[in-house]
Amino acid sequence: MQLNRKGIYQEFDATGAVCTDERWQAITLPDGSIHVENETVRIKPSPEPRSDSATCILDRDLRLLDFSIHGLFGKRESRVCVLGEARQEATLCWRHEGAVHERKVAWNDALEIDYNSPLFNMITIWRC
């Protein structure tokens, strides 16, 4: 599968004004891995106005390699990395306002990680 796509998704409030703007791109690299990148801006009247960016990297078999999110103007960040041939463990890292946390968890390729965005919901369905 070869991808080279870009898109824009917008949400509108009751008055017709844009309240969410999401820009994304998906591209297949020469090694067959797929990189999906997203930038989302939520403005007032959103309950939590902010700007987020997310990256998802899948291998050629659509298995998760890396998923990272940077949000709220640097106050929140998180990352999931699945490494190694056995793919039985993932490292979860997250930071909230300077406090850094890390945990290793059991992993298998049937697990899904999602981010509340039409783009990343599409990736979850696409992998099924």
Side-chain angles (χ1 to χ4, degrees):
M1 175 186 319
Q2 190 71 21
L3 285 174
N4 187 2
R5 302 279 187 267
K6 290 184 176 190
I8 297 172
Y9 167 80
Q10 294 181 318
E11 283 185 49
F12 301 89
D13 67 15
T15 69
V18 173
C19 59
T20 302
D21 182 72
E22 181 175 319
R23 298 169 187 269
W24 60 271
Q25 66 180 5
I27 188 166
T28 303
L29 296 181
D31 68 358
S33 65
I34 297 172
H35 289 229
V36 179
E37 297 179 352
N38 161 302
E39 257 185 52
T40 303
V41 176
R42 292 172 182 86
I43 59 176
K44 290 184 179 184
S46 173
E48 190 177 38
R50 65 183 190 262
S51 175
D52 302 327
S53 65
T55 301
C56 181
I57 303 173
L58 306 171
D59 71 8
R60 67 175 52 247
D61 298 318
L62 301 180
R63 299 180 307 172
L64 181 69
L65 297 175
D66 188 274
F67 184 74
S68 59
I69 301 170
H70 302 278
L72 278 178
F73 308 105
K75 291 184 179 180
R76 294 183 192 163
E77 297 178 72
S78 59
R79 184 173 188 170
V80 178
C81 296
V82 181
L83 300 172
E85 287 298 315
R87 300 183 49 80
Q88 295 177 340
E89 186 175 82
T91 302
L92 311 175
C93 302
W94 66 98
R95 179 176 67 85
H96 182 253
E97 297 181 353
V100 177
H101 309 275
E102 182 176 306
R103 180 181 300 170
K104 296 199 182 292
V105 298
W107 183 262
N108 69 63
D109 289 327
L111 295 172
E112 294 288 350
I113 295 175
D114 199 10
Y115 174 65
N116 190 15
S117 129
L119 173 67
F120 287 98
N121 290 332
M122 180 271 312
I123 291 171
T124 301
I125 293 168
W126 181 38
R127 290 189 64 233
C128 293

